[in-house]
Amino acid sequence: MKIFMVTFAYPEYISYLYDKNPGLAEKSFAGQKEFFRLDSYGKEEFWGGALAKYGYEFREANMNAEPMQRAWAAERGFSADPIQIVIRQIKEFAPDILWYNYHDEPSLRKILAEIPPVRLIISSVGSALQKTDLWKHIDLVLSCAPETIEKLSAQGVYARQLHHAFDGRINERLKEMGKPYDISFSGKIIRNVEFHLIREQILEYLANEMELVIFSPSAHIGLKEFFKYSAKMFLYGTSRVLMKTGPTRKLMDKIKIYNKVTKWDGKPLPPINKKLKPFLKPPVFGLDMYQTVKNSKIALNIHADSSPQYASNVRMFEIPGPGACLLTDWKQNIGELFVPDKEVVTYQSPEECLEKAKWLISHPAEMEAIARAGQARTLKDHSYTVRAKRLDEIIRTALKSKSHRTGGNK
């Protein structure tokens, strides 16, 4: 079977890669794709190799890697918008399965209107589940987060859990540079409910007590984001004044923007925590991110607020994979993934996180033993090869389920 994956990379990553590599945008499609592969960001190399054992051919298109996509179109003698280019790529590959990892529902409708029918449409989502009409087009939703599976299943969506993975070939691309960072964190710090409010609290607590390095897109927050914050504060303030009178409240309900403001959970937060700003460094992506992990004695993991019960995010594997000691927030399924305090180290409060981080730094032999054990467990049990077996089972069951639901029409 053929699988075509449509992805939408972090815009920050696309800018990061092309800004760091002048001239990359002028290379051929194959040249740019090879660059992405060696940067270990895409999924085609990892899923493609692992799934081949089960009879799959895998192809991926990064829809917002516009220079690469434009090169593909130019080599075929046409130019078009990103969606039309992806449509042409899908038609050329003729997949059995469309794996749509771009959560824009109108774009998917355009794609489905122009491509031949496929046997299965898959999508993936993390723990933060946004309101969308996308799922009505999807036959199978994959999520790393059991919380999300429960929510989707309650809505009648066919959803199955699949953990993230790590590919050991990444380590062959990393350099031995020592461990200049005692403890690092790499990731976003979004100040919204269900995102990273708890993460922010833990990072602030640690930063006040030890030398913590934070690599985050928040380091680039500037005037534009603060102007947006000021506009939100104005709307929030005026809405609270106007809501004091009944007649005005009824009028506000009819004004779309104020109707949204009245449903906000609370007062808007500034785009960045000023106390964290001194510790922020520009974000790292792809191979640079893995190198940063390898360069860290301890790498910190803090799940999003939308994952209160289960360990599920990708850091669970991309931290021990390159050989750093994973210090992660305790979740009830940790023991299913790693042996706590032997392969990874867990904490249940900011205070415990600090205590264990300091203990690890002062006991380097024990810390290194945990890091080695965590890496070995990751390479053995959390590889794409292992995940491919699970994914194949999920796909084949989903195909049978769809056939049953549609009376055999595919």
Side-chain angles (χ1 to χ4, degrees), residues 125-128 143-148 161-165 301 303-304 306-317 328-329 331 333-334 337 387:
V125 67
S127 61
S143 179
C144 59
E147 293 97 335
T148 297
Q161 198 266 343
L162 182 69
H163 280 299
H164 290 289
N301 182 36
H303 282 81
S306 50
S307 293
Q309 295 177 278
Y310 300 98
S312 60
N313 67 10
V314 69
R315 287 185 200 82
M316 291 297 302
F317 313 109
T328 185
D329 42 354
K331 303 292 180 182
N333 65 328
I334 282 286
L337 303 172
R387 297 291 185 258

mmCIF file of all heavy atoms in Angstrom, residues 125-128 143-148 161-165 301 303-304 306-317 328-329 331 333-334 337 387:
data_model
loop_
_atom_site.group_PDB
_atom_site.id
_atom_site.type_symbol
_atom_site.label_atom_id
_atom_site.label_comp_id
_atom_site.label_asym_id
_atom_site.label_seq_id
_atom_site.Cartn_x
_atom_site.Cartn_y
_atom_site.Cartn_z
ATOM 1 N N VAL A 125 -3.088 14.160 15.784
ATOM 2 C CA VAL A 125 -3.263 15.311 16.656
ATOM 3 C C VAL A 125 -2.591 15.016 17.985
ATOM 4 O O VAL A 125 -2.474 13.856 18.389
ATOM 5 C CB VAL A 125 -4.778 15.616 16.844
ATOM 6 C CG1 VAL A 125 -5.468 14.497 17.612
ATOM 7 C CG2 VAL A 125 -4.992 16.958 17.541
ATOM 8 N N GLY A 126 -2.113 16.066 18.640
ATOM 9 C CA GLY A 126 -1.480 15.901 19.942
ATOM 10 C C GLY A 126 -2.493 15.927 21.068
ATOM 11 O O GLY A 126 -3.645 15.518 20.914
ATOM 12 N N SER A 127 -2.089 16.487 22.193
ATOM 13 C CA SER A 127 -2.989 16.499 23.351
ATOM 14 C C SER A 127 -3.914 17.708 23.369
ATOM 15 O O SER A 127 -5.006 17.649 23.933
ATOM 16 C CB SER A 127 -2.176 16.466 24.650
ATOM 17 O OG SER A 127 -1.336 17.612 24.738
ATOM 18 N N ALA A 128 -3.492 18.809 22.735
ATOM 19 C CA ALA A 128 -4.331 20.013 22.690
ATOM 20 C C ALA A 128 -5.316 19.874 21.536
ATOM 21 O O ALA A 128 -4.948 19.995 20.370
ATOM 22 C CB ALA A 128 -3.467 21.261 22.515
ATOM 23 N N SER A 143 -3.289 9.663 17.751
ATOM 24 C CA SER A 143 -2.821 10.623 18.745
ATOM 25 C C SER A 143 -1.879 9.931 19.717
ATOM 26 O O SER A 143 -2.071 8.759 20.072
ATOM 27 C CB SER A 143 -3.985 11.244 19.523
ATOM 28 O OG SER A 143 -3.495 12.158 20.499
ATOM 29 N N CYS A 144 -0.868 10.673 20.136
ATOM 30 C CA CYS A 144 0.047 10.165 21.154
ATOM 31 C C CYS A 144 -0.598 10.187 22.533
ATOM 32 O O CYS A 144 -0.151 9.481 23.440
ATOM 33 C CB CYS A 144 1.318 11.017 21.173
ATOM 34 S SG CYS A 144 1.003 12.780 21.518
ATOM 35 N N ALA A 145 -1.655 10.998 22.708
ATOM 36 C CA ALA A 145 -2.223 11.281 24.029
ATOM 37 C C ALA A 145 -3.500 10.483 24.288
ATOM 38 O O ALA A 145 -4.499 10.687 23.597
ATOM 39 C CB ALA A 145 -2.500 12.774 24.168
ATOM 40 N N PRO A 146 -3.507 9.600 25.275
ATOM 41 C CA PRO A 146 -4.735 8.879 25.616
ATOM 42 C C PRO A 146 -5.891 9.812 25.970
ATOM 43 O O PRO A 146 -7.054 9.487 25.697
ATOM 44 C CB PRO A 146 -4.312 8.030 26.821
ATOM 45 C CG PRO A 146 -2.844 7.789 26.619
ATOM 46 C CD PRO A 146 -2.343 9.091 26.038
ATOM 47 N N GLU A 147 -5.590 10.975 26.563
ATOM 48 C CA GLU A 147 -6.666 11.928 26.877
ATOM 49 C C GLU A 147 -7.413 12.348 25.615
ATOM 50 O O GLU A 147 -8.639 12.482 25.610
ATOM 51 C CB GLU A 147 -6.091 13.187 27.562
ATOM 52 C CG GLU A 147 -5.502 12.958 28.939
ATOM 53 C CD GLU A 147 -3.989 12.783 28.909
ATOM 54 O OE1 GLU A 147 -3.456 12.377 27.852
ATOM 55 O OE2 GLU A 147 -3.351 13.048 29.930
ATOM 56 N N THR A 148 -6.652 12.557 24.537
ATOM 57 C CA THR A 148 -7.258 12.958 23.267
ATOM 58 C C THR A 148 -8.079 11.825 22.666
ATOM 59 O O THR A 148 -9.167 12.058 22.124
ATOM 60 C CB THR A 148 -6.165 13.403 22.281
ATOM 61 O OG1 THR A 148 -5.500 14.554 22.814
ATOM 62 C CG2 THR A 148 -6.744 13.751 20.922
ATOM 63 N N GLN A 161 -4.482 5.252 19.672
ATOM 64 C CA GLN A 161 -3.282 5.810 20.278
ATOM 65 C C GLN A 161 -2.019 5.237 19.630
ATOM 66 O O GLN A 161 -1.921 4.034 19.387
ATOM 67 C CB GLN A 161 -3.276 5.511 21.784
ATOM 68 C CG GLN A 161 -2.329 6.386 22.593
ATOM 69 C CD GLN A 161 -0.973 5.745 22.793
ATOM 70 O OE1 GLN A 161 -0.803 4.550 22.617
ATOM 71 N NE2 GLN A 161 0.013 6.559 23.138
ATOM 72 N N LEU A 162 -1.075 6.104 19.320
ATOM 73 C CA LEU A 162 0.213 5.699 18.769
ATOM 74 C C LEU A 162 1.290 6.614 19.336
ATOM 75 O O LEU A 162 1.261 7.829 19.133
ATOM 76 C CB LEU A 162 0.214 5.792 17.239
ATOM 77 C CG LEU A 162 1.500 5.339 16.546
ATOM 78 C CD1 LEU A 162 1.677 3.821 16.671
ATOM 79 C CD2 LEU A 162 1.507 5.762 15.074
ATOM 80 N N HIS A 163 2.247 6.045 20.050
ATOM 81 C CA HIS A 163 3.322 6.842 20.631
ATOM 82 C C HIS A 163 4.266 7.386 19.558
ATOM 83 O O HIS A 163 4.372 6.825 18.456
ATOM 84 C CB HIS A 163 4.135 5.999 21.617
ATOM 85 C CG HIS A 163 3.503 5.853 22.967
ATOM 86 N ND1 HIS A 163 3.236 6.933 23.788
ATOM 87 C CD2 HIS A 163 3.075 4.752 23.642
ATOM 88 C CE1 HIS A 163 2.688 6.501 24.906
ATOM 89 N NE2 HIS A 163 2.568 5.184 24.849
ATOM 90 N N HIS A 164 4.955 8.449 19.913
ATOM 91 C CA HIS A 164 6.034 8.961 19.075
ATOM 92 C C HIS A 164 7.189 7.949 19.063
ATOM 93 O O HIS A 164 7.169 6.944 19.776
ATOM 94 C CB HIS A 164 6.527 10.304 19.605
ATOM 95 C CG HIS A 164 5.552 11.427 19.436
ATOM 96 N ND1 HIS A 164 5.256 11.972 18.210
ATOM 97 C CD2 HIS A 164 4.806 12.115 20.348
ATOM 98 C CE1 HIS A 164 4.375 12.950 18.359
ATOM 99 N NE2 HIS A 164 4.076 13.049 19.638
ATOM 100 N N ALA A 165 8.204 8.240 18.268
ATOM 101 C CA ALA A 165 9.331 7.319 18.136
ATOM 102 C C ALA A 165 10.621 8.102 17.936
ATOM 103 O O ALA A 165 10.614 9.320 17.711
ATOM 104 C CB ALA A 165 9.091 6.379 16.954
ATOM 105 N N ASN A 301 11.721 17.694 30.506
ATOM 106 C CA ASN A 301 10.447 17.542 29.803
ATOM 107 C C ASN A 301 9.312 17.971 30.719
ATOM 108 O O ASN A 301 9.254 17.567 31.883
ATOM 109 C CB ASN A 301 10.226 16.092 29.362
ATOM 110 C CG ASN A 301 8.921 15.929 28.594
ATOM 111 O OD1 ASN A 301 8.529 16.807 27.841
ATOM 112 N ND2 ASN A 301 8.242 14.815 28.810
ATOM 113 N N HIS A 303 5.139 18.255 30.140
ATOM 114 C CA HIS A 303 4.016 18.090 29.226
ATOM 115 C C HIS A 303 3.133 19.325 29.199
ATOM 116 O O HIS A 303 3.133 20.142 30.130
ATOM 117 C CB HIS A 303 3.167 16.878 29.640
ATOM 118 C CG HIS A 303 3.768 15.567 29.244
ATOM 119 N ND1 HIS A 303 4.770 14.956 29.970
ATOM 120 C CD2 HIS A 303 3.510 14.747 28.181
ATOM 121 C CE1 HIS A 303 5.108 13.815 29.382
ATOM 122 N NE2 HIS A 303 4.360 13.665 28.302
ATOM 123 N N ALA A 304 2.365 19.447 28.128
ATOM 124 C CA ALA A 304 1.383 20.524 28.038
ATOM 125 C C ALA A 304 0.287 20.309 29.080
ATOM 126 O O ALA A 304 0.066 19.195 29.562
ATOM 127 C CB ALA A 304 0.770 20.563 26.641
ATOM 128 N N SER A 306 -2.686 20.124 28.662
ATOM 129 C CA SER A 306 -3.708 19.239 28.110
ATOM 130 C C SER A 306 -3.362 17.756 28.261
ATOM 131 O O SER A 306 -4.114 16.894 27.820
ATOM 132 C CB SER A 306 -3.949 19.563 26.631
ATOM 133 O OG SER A 306 -2.721 19.620 25.929
ATOM 134 N N SER A 307 -2.205 17.474 28.881
ATOM 135 C CA SER A 307 -1.813 16.086 29.175
ATOM 136 C C SER A 307 -1.642 15.896 30.676
ATOM 137 O O SER A 307 -0.530 15.706 31.170
ATOM 138 C CB SER A 307 -0.498 15.725 28.471
ATOM 139 O OG SER A 307 -0.640 15.684 27.092
ATOM 140 N N PRO A 308 -2.724 15.969 31.429
ATOM 141 C CA PRO A 308 -2.601 15.901 32.897
ATOM 142 C C PRO A 308 -2.324 14.507 33.441
ATOM 143 O O PRO A 308 -1.807 14.367 34.544
ATOM 144 C CB PRO A 308 -3.965 16.406 33.385
ATOM 145 C CG PRO A 308 -4.911 16.038 32.283
ATOM 146 C CD PRO A 308 -4.121 16.191 31.014
ATOM 147 N N GLN A 309 -2.653 13.444 32.676
ATOM 148 C CA GLN A 309 -2.567 12.090 33.219
ATOM 149 C C GLN A 309 -1.466 11.227 32.609
ATOM 150 O O GLN A 309 -0.847 10.437 33.311
ATOM 151 C CB GLN A 309 -3.905 11.365 33.011
ATOM 152 C CG GLN A 309 -5.069 11.953 33.767
ATOM 153 C CD GLN A 309 -6.361 11.206 33.440
ATOM 154 O OE1 GLN A 309 -7.011 11.460 32.429
ATOM 155 N NE2 GLN A 309 -6.711 10.265 34.278
ATOM 156 N N TYR A 310 -1.237 11.380 31.301
ATOM 157 C CA TYR A 310 -0.392 10.417 30.596
ATOM 158 C C TYR A 310 0.844 11.067 29.975
ATOM 159 O O TYR A 310 0.768 12.173 29.426
ATOM 160 C CB TYR A 310 -1.192 9.724 29.487
ATOM 161 C CG TYR A 310 -2.388 8.959 29.985
ATOM 162 C CD1 TYR A 310 -3.655 9.528 29.934
ATOM 163 C CD2 TYR A 310 -2.243 7.666 30.504
ATOM 164 C CE1 TYR A 310 -4.774 8.824 30.392
ATOM 165 C CE2 TYR A 310 -3.351 6.964 30.954
ATOM 166 C CZ TYR A 310 -4.607 7.545 30.902
ATOM 167 O OH TYR A 310 -5.714 6.853 31.350
ATOM 168 N N ALA A 311 1.960 10.343 30.039
ATOM 169 C CA ALA A 311 3.177 10.755 29.332
ATOM 170 C C ALA A 311 3.002 10.411 27.864
ATOM 171 O O ALA A 311 2.700 9.265 27.525
ATOM 172 C CB ALA A 311 4.386 10.029 29.902
ATOM 173 N N SER A 312 3.170 11.405 26.999
ATOM 174 C CA SER A 312 2.891 11.131 25.595
ATOM 175 C C SER A 312 3.689 11.971 24.612
ATOM 176 O O SER A 312 3.737 11.633 23.435
ATOM 177 C CB SER A 312 1.398 11.348 25.311
ATOM 178 O OG SER A 312 1.008 12.681 25.601
ATOM 179 N N ASN A 313 4.301 13.051 25.051
ATOM 180 C CA ASN A 313 4.877 13.943 24.042
ATOM 181 C C ASN A 313 6.184 13.404 23.469
ATOM 182 O O ASN A 313 6.771 12.446 23.967
ATOM 183 C CB ASN A 313 5.047 15.367 24.599
ATOM 184 C CG ASN A 313 6.083 15.466 25.710
ATOM 185 O OD1 ASN A 313 6.829 14.530 25.969
ATOM 186 N ND2 ASN A 313 6.123 16.602 26.378
ATOM 187 N N VAL A 314 6.631 14.034 22.395
ATOM 188 C CA VAL A 314 7.769 13.517 21.640
ATOM 189 C C VAL A 314 9.075 13.624 22.417
ATOM 190 O O VAL A 314 10.008 12.837 22.200
ATOM 191 C CB VAL A 314 7.870 14.240 20.274
ATOM 192 C CG1 VAL A 314 8.282 15.706 20.447
ATOM 193 C CG2 VAL A 314 8.825 13.513 19.333
ATOM 194 N N ARG A 315 9.173 14.553 23.377
ATOM 195 C CA ARG A 315 10.405 14.678 24.170
ATOM 196 C C ARG A 315 10.690 13.418 24.982
ATOM 197 O O ARG A 315 11.830 13.181 25.385
ATOM 198 C CB ARG A 315 10.307 15.873 25.124
ATOM 199 C CG ARG A 315 10.419 17.224 24.470
ATOM 200 C CD ARG A 315 10.435 18.336 25.522
ATOM 201 N NE ARG A 315 10.080 19.593 24.910
ATOM 202 C CZ ARG A 315 8.832 19.979 24.688
ATOM 203 N NH1 ARG A 315 7.830 19.192 25.037
ATOM 204 N NH2 ARG A 315 8.581 21.140 24.137
ATOM 205 N N MET A 316 9.660 12.627 25.267
ATOM 206 C CA MET A 316 9.870 11.391 26.014
ATOM 207 C C MET A 316 10.875 10.484 25.320
ATOM 208 O O MET A 316 11.508 9.635 25.952
ATOM 209 C CB MET A 316 8.540 10.641 26.183
ATOM 210 C CG MET A 316 7.543 11.307 27.110
ATOM 211 S SD MET A 316 8.118 11.424 28.820
ATOM 212 C CE MET A 316 8.423 9.719 29.231
ATOM 213 N N PHE A 317 11.043 10.666 24.010
ATOM 214 C CA PHE A 317 11.927 9.787 23.241
ATOM 215 C C PHE A 317 13.085 10.545 22.601
ATOM 216 O O PHE A 317 14.172 9.986 22.452
ATOM 217 C CB PHE A 317 11.108 9.044 22.187
ATOM 218 C CG PHE A 317 9.841 8.460 22.769
ATOM 219 C CD1 PHE A 317 8.591 8.989 22.447
ATOM 220 C CD2 PHE A 317 9.906 7.418 23.671
ATOM 221 C CE1 PHE A 317 7.437 8.479 23.005
ATOM 222 C CE2 PHE A 317 8.745 6.899 24.238
ATOM 223 C CZ PHE A 317 7.505 7.420 23.906
ATOM 224 N N THR A 328 11.636 14.165 33.669
ATOM 225 C CA THR A 328 10.292 14.399 33.146
ATOM 226 C C THR A 328 9.239 14.402 34.241
ATOM 227 O O THR A 328 9.415 13.761 35.289
ATOM 228 C CB THR A 328 9.940 13.337 32.085
ATOM 229 O OG1 THR A 328 8.677 13.640 31.497
ATOM 230 C CG2 THR A 328 9.886 11.939 32.687
ATOM 231 N N ASP A 329 8.146 15.095 33.991
ATOM 232 C CA ASP A 329 7.048 15.118 34.945
ATOM 233 C C ASP A 329 6.397 13.736 35.033
ATOM 234 O O ASP A 329 6.169 13.081 34.028
ATOM 235 C CB ASP A 329 6.006 16.185 34.583
ATOM 236 C CG ASP A 329 5.685 16.272 33.111
ATOM 237 O OD1 ASP A 329 6.341 15.593 32.291
ATOM 238 O OD2 ASP A 329 4.766 17.030 32.759
ATOM 239 N N LYS A 331 3.852 10.807 35.228
ATOM 240 C CA LYS A 331 2.508 10.504 34.739
ATOM 241 C C LYS A 331 2.211 9.045 35.059
ATOM 242 O O LYS A 331 3.124 8.238 35.267
ATOM 243 C CB LYS A 331 2.389 10.740 33.221
ATOM 244 C CG LYS A 331 2.750 12.169 32.775
ATOM 245 C CD LYS A 331 1.752 13.188 33.247
ATOM 246 C CE LYS A 331 2.144 14.595 32.792
ATOM 247 N NZ LYS A 331 1.202 15.627 33.287
ATOM 248 N N ASN A 333 1.415 6.502 33.402
ATOM 249 C CA ASN A 333 1.878 5.434 32.506
ATOM 250 C C ASN A 333 3.391 5.435 32.293
ATOM 251 O O ASN A 333 3.889 4.741 31.398
ATOM 252 C CB ASN A 333 1.179 5.546 31.148
ATOM 253 C CG ASN A 333 1.556 6.822 30.396
ATOM 254 O OD1 ASN A 333 1.817 7.856 31.012
ATOM 255 N ND2 ASN A 333 1.573 6.765 29.078
ATOM 256 N N ILE A 334 4.117 6.186 33.092
ATOM 257 C CA ILE A 334 5.573 6.254 32.924
ATOM 258 C C ILE A 334 6.196 4.859 32.926
ATOM 259 O O ILE A 334 7.062 4.529 32.114
ATOM 260 C CB ILE A 334 6.205 7.115 34.039
ATOM 261 C CG1 ILE A 334 6.004 8.607 33.751
ATOM 262 C CG2 ILE A 334 7.700 6.829 34.190
ATOM 263 C CD1 ILE A 334 6.870 9.152 32.649
ATOM 264 N N LEU A 337 6.635 2.899 29.759
ATOM 265 C CA LEU A 337 7.588 3.395 28.766
ATOM 266 C C LEU A 337 9.036 3.235 29.212
ATOM 267 O O LEU A 337 9.903 2.850 28.419
ATOM 268 C CB LEU A 337 7.294 4.869 28.465
ATOM 269 C CG LEU A 337 5.879 5.188 27.973
ATOM 270 C CD1 LEU A 337 5.665 6.698 27.905
ATOM 271 C CD2 LEU A 337 5.638 4.557 26.613
ATOM 272 N N ARG A 387 7.218 0.987 16.242
ATOM 273 C CA ARG A 387 5.953 1.704 16.021
ATOM 274 C C ARG A 387 5.296 1.277 14.705
ATOM 275 O O ARG A 387 4.066 1.285 14.587
ATOM 276 C CB ARG A 387 6.196 3.210 15.993
ATOM 277 C CG ARG A 387 6.720 3.792 17.286
ATOM 278 C CD ARG A 387 5.697 3.774 18.405
ATOM 279 N NE ARG A 387 6.243 4.460 19.559
ATOM 280 C CZ ARG A 387 6.749 3.855 20.646
ATOM 281 N NH1 ARG A 387 6.736 2.530 20.723
ATOM 282 N NH2 ARG A 387 7.255 4.556 21.633
#
